[in-house]
Every structure is written in structure tokens, then in C-alpha cells.
Amino acid sequence: MQQKTKYIKVDKWSIRPLIILFTIFISALFSSCGNVKNATYFNSSSSMTYTNDNQGLEPIIQKNDLLSITVSSANPEATEIFNLQNQVVAQSSTNAGNTTRASGYLVGQDGYIKFPILGDIVAAGKAKSELRKEITQTLIDKKLLIEPIVDIRYLNYKISVLGEVKNPSVLIIPNEKISLLEALGLAGDITIYGRRDNVTLIREENGIKRMRKIDLTTNAIFSSPYYYLQSNDIIYVEPNKAKVSSSTGYRDWIPVVLSAISLGIIIVVNR
């Protein structure tokens, strides 16, 4: 005898709340994957020319800076005493082996450097060109050298790049000039999990640390006063929501939640 197939009449209004809940959950899940614009640079416009008035600005010498000051003139013997500090090499031993570090003129907490014969000279708060001109003129006024040439360079010009970049590191900058984009490039660029719209720049000025937020998804960086970095600047790239969410482990619960919702719908349909 042929059995009759039983059909269960389902009240669509009884499962509608579950369907809506399921739809909202799936939408929220996929929307958290991020926006393409937030993962790329310079989206605001195209084919434009930008000028930066800060590229010629010299960084200001700060306390604890280590400077190389070289003096030369037509009389090498007379200039030798002024260059002794640059020739001193400090030897240190570490677990990885012996390392050497060239010594220079350390800017003290009082802002002074101790220069041979000339004594204490204020360095902090001045640009290199200003300090160079002062030392040169003092050597001439005191008739210590004829037509001296003074060259000043940083021995500790460094930039720190932290956070969501491929290679977080401290970068030593020999040419004493680097842009924010170049620093990120040397650190391996921002990862797909880094926020390009909220990069933090930490800069110390006159003993005060200031934080600036920079949006690299727009073209405003090219005319920003923070396009070029200064010695001891710190760049921090914070993680985006996808990175934070993955680290909290909420994605591990997605299969469980989906299964529970599906089971709930099946139970209601088969009542």
C-alpha cells in the first residue's frame, strides 16, 4: 500500500525573526572584512601637483643628540686638536660579540657641548647651520684658525617604526633626511592589517612629546608639515578591526553560532 507523503505547513511569520537575525549576522560578518579604500594610499584625488614648504627646514638639535663636528683649515696641525673627540672609539662587549661605537659631542641635559679650547657651547635649540656658523666665527674671532671650515653631522639620526608594519625597526638615517613614506617603505610597508587612515607620529620638541594623527588614504600628506621626519621621531601604525577581531578569537565562534541558528530554524520548520 502506497504511503502518503505528509507535508508540514510552516507559518512563515514564526521563522521570520530567525531569518532576519541570520541575515543581519551574515551582513555584519562580511562587512567587517574592511573597505578597499582603507587598505590603499592616496584615494582623495589623482594627477595633482603638491608643494611642501618644509623640505628645506633643518631639524633642531635636541638634548642627548650625538654630533660629529669636524674642523678643517689650511693648517692641518692647528685643526687636529679640534678633531680629537671624533677620533675616539669606545669599545663595548655584548653576548653577540664585540661592537664599536664612534664617539662624538654629546649634547648634555643642560643643552651644552664641550668643545676643545672654546669650552661650553649651547647646541640644543639650534639648527646645524646656526651652530656651524657660531663655531666658525668664534674660531676666527679668537684667531685660532684662518678660514676654518666646520662640518656638523648627526651620529644618532634615527627613526623608529612600530606597529602593523612588516619589519618594525629603528632606522639609522645617514643622509639626515627621510620622508614618512620612505620610513614606512624601509620598514617593509604597512601590512594589510594596519590602519592607513590613522597613523600616529610622535615627535619631541623642546622636551615636549606631541602626537599627530596622519591619514595616508588621502593626498594631504604631501603638503603636510610632517611629510619629512626629524631625528628621534616615532611612527606607530595601529591595527585595524580585522586584526583586533582575529586576535580576540571571535572568529572561532562563527561556525558554532551558524550551526545554532541553522538548528533553530530546522526545529521551528519541523514542528
Side-chain angles (χ1 to χ4, degrees):
M1 184 176 178
Q2 187 176 4
Q3 292 183 345
K4 293 182 179 181
T5 305
K6 294 182 178 180
Y7 295 94
I8 301 174
K9 186 177 180 180
V10 180
D11 183 3
K12 63 179 181 179
W13 298 106
S14 64
I15 64 171
R16 187 175 182 182
L18 289 175
I19 295 175
I20 294 174
L21 179 62
F22 184 77
T23 303
I24 293 174
F25 179 79
I26 294 298
S27 300
L29 175 63
F30 284 100
S31 64
S32 66
C33 294
N35 191 317
V36 174
K37 283 190 174 182
N38 292 333
T40 57
Y41 298 101
F42 324 130
N43 295 302
S44 59
S45 58
S46 60
S47 302
M48 296 186 69
T49 301
Y50 296 87
T51 58
N52 193 301
D53 298 331
N54 299 280
Q55 57 181 322
L57 295 180
E58 282 190 86
I60 300 301
I61 298 172
Q62 306 285 339
K63 298 175 183 178
N64 297 319
D65 276 345
L66 191 61
L67 305 175
S68 168
I69 304 178
T70 304
V71 180
S72 59
S73 70
N75 188 343
E77 294 181 357
T79 59
E80 184 176 357
I81 189 173
F82 299 105
N83 297 316
L84 291 176
Q85 186 72 10
N86 293 320
Q87 298 172 5
V88 177
V89 176
Q91 183 83 16
S92 62
S93 179
T94 64
N95 293 332
N98 291 329
T99 59
T100 59
R101 179 180 61 84
S103 181
Y105 293 90
L106 179 66
V107 182
Q109 290 299 316
D110 55 0
Y112 286 80
I113 59 171
K114 296 185 179 298
F115 201 76
I117 299 179
L118 302 186
D120 293 340
I121 300 177
V122 178
K126 298 179 179 178
K128 287 196 309 177
S129 58
E130 185 179 356
L131 180 60
R132 182 189 305 116
K133 182 178 180 180
E134 180 181 338
I135 293 176
T136 302
Q137 192 59 48
T138 304
L139 291 172
I140 294 174
D141 292 343
K142 292 190 175 184
K143 298 181 180 181
L144 297 173
L145 293 173
I146 299 175
E147 297 183 352
I149 298 175
V150 179
D151 180 65
I152 302 177
R153 296 184 62 85
Y154 286 95
L155 293 177
N156 63 337
Y157 198 104
K158 63 182 185 297
I159 305 296
S160 301
V161 186
L162 310 173
E164 281 299 324
V165 292
K166 186 177 180 181
N167 301 308
S169 54
V170 176
L171 308 174
I172 304 299
I173 314 301
N175 61 355
E176 302 177 6
K177 182 179 181 181
I178 187 172
S179 69
L180 173 61
L181 300 178
E182 289 174 321
L184 291 173
L186 291 174
D189 199 8
I190 300 176
T191 69
I192 194 64
Y193 297 109
R195 288 192 60 180
R196 288 161 174 78
D197 62 339
N198 198 33
V199 176
T200 302
L201 172 64
I202 303 173
R203 175 174 295 175
E204 182 173 339
E205 298 173 327
N206 299 321
I208 302 174
K209 289 183 172 61
R210 293 184 171 88
M211 299 176 62
R212 295 291 182 267
K213 298 293 184 178
I214 300 172
D215 186 355
L216 295 179
T217 63
T218 71
N219 293 354
I221 180 61
F222 295 111
S223 55
S224 168
Y226 304 104
Y227 179 76
Y228 286 102
L229 302 177
Q230 296 183 12
S231 181
N232 299 314
D233 277 357
I234 300 173
I235 303 167
Y236 172 68
V237 181
E238 67 178 83
N240 57 23
K241 291 181 180 179
K243 177 69 172 183
V244 175
S245 299
S246 63
S247 64
T248 57
Y250 94 101
R251 292 184 182 274
D252 296 337
W253 289 90
I254 291 177
V256 178
V257 175
L258 291 177
S259 299
I261 293 176
S262 301
L263 179 60
I265 293 175
I266 292 172
I267 292 173
V268 172
V269 170
N270 290 278
R271 277 183 178 178

